[in-house]
Amino acid sequence: MPISTAYFQVTEQLLEINSDFSALYSELYLKNKIIEQQKHDYYLLSVTDALTKLYNRRYFYDIVEDEIEISEKNETPLSFLMIDINDFKKVNDYYGHYAGDELLVPFHKYSLKTCGTKKRLSGSGEMNF
């Protein structure tokens, strides 16, 4: 077999392998994007309330150390505001927790407008941070 024919065949095989590799790489890239999105979605499910979209206590404890560190590093003040909704427990006890959650939705929307940042609003059962 002449060298030019062998060279042509090897080049053709390499092009096929490269094409297969590119297709596999594209498929892997897309699957990784899906996995990253799913990881993000699962994280959000673990740190937010499904109805109010408030971050929960887990999120608060996850970020509080970071916020303190950022505040110290930047030498900026840091504040925490605890809000008590009067007789909220009575609403939950009398009407049920679903009704209590429904009551939190407009409160949450108002808080977002007032505080200006969703990132910093979180809640947990009897307490809101």
Side-chain angles (χ1 to χ4, degrees), residues 12-61:
E12 201 170 82
Q13 289 173 342
L14 286 174
L15 288 173
E16 279 183 42
I17 291 170
N18 188 42
S19 176
D20 292 344
F21 177 76
S22 292
L24 288 172
Y25 177 81
S26 294
E27 184 180 342
L28 181 62
Y29 178 81
L30 291 174
K31 287 184 179 187
N32 278 337
K33 293 287 268 182
I34 291 168
I35 290 169
E36 287 301 315
Q37 182 62 49
Q38 288 174 336
K39 280 173 46 179
H40 178 72
D41 293 346
Y42 290 137
Y43 173 75
L44 286 179
L45 285 171
S46 76
V47 297
T48 57
D49 176 73
L51 177 66
T52 64
K53 305 300 184 232
L54 276 172
Y55 288 107
N56 60 24
R57 183 183 297 204
R58 176 182 294 137
Y59 178 79
F60 176 78
Y61 288 123

Side-chain angles (χ1 to χ4, degrees), residues 55-99:
Y55 288 107
N56 60 24
R57 183 183 297 204
R58 176 182 294 137
Y59 178 79
F60 176 78
Y61 288 123
D62 282 352
I63 69 160
V64 72
E65 289 181 20
D66 293 339
E67 294 299 322
I68 291 170
E69 186 177 307
I70 290 167
S71 175
E72 289 173 348
K73 178 183 168 191
N74 296 333
E75 297 180 3
T76 56
L78 177 64
S79 301
F80 293 96
L81 174 65
M82 294 186 73
I83 300 169
D84 179 28
I85 301 174
N86 290 338
D87 299 322
F88 186 74
K89 184 178 181 330
K90 289 180 184 177
V91 172
N92 278 339
D93 290 347
Y94 187 78
Y95 296 102
H97 288 278
Y98 184 78

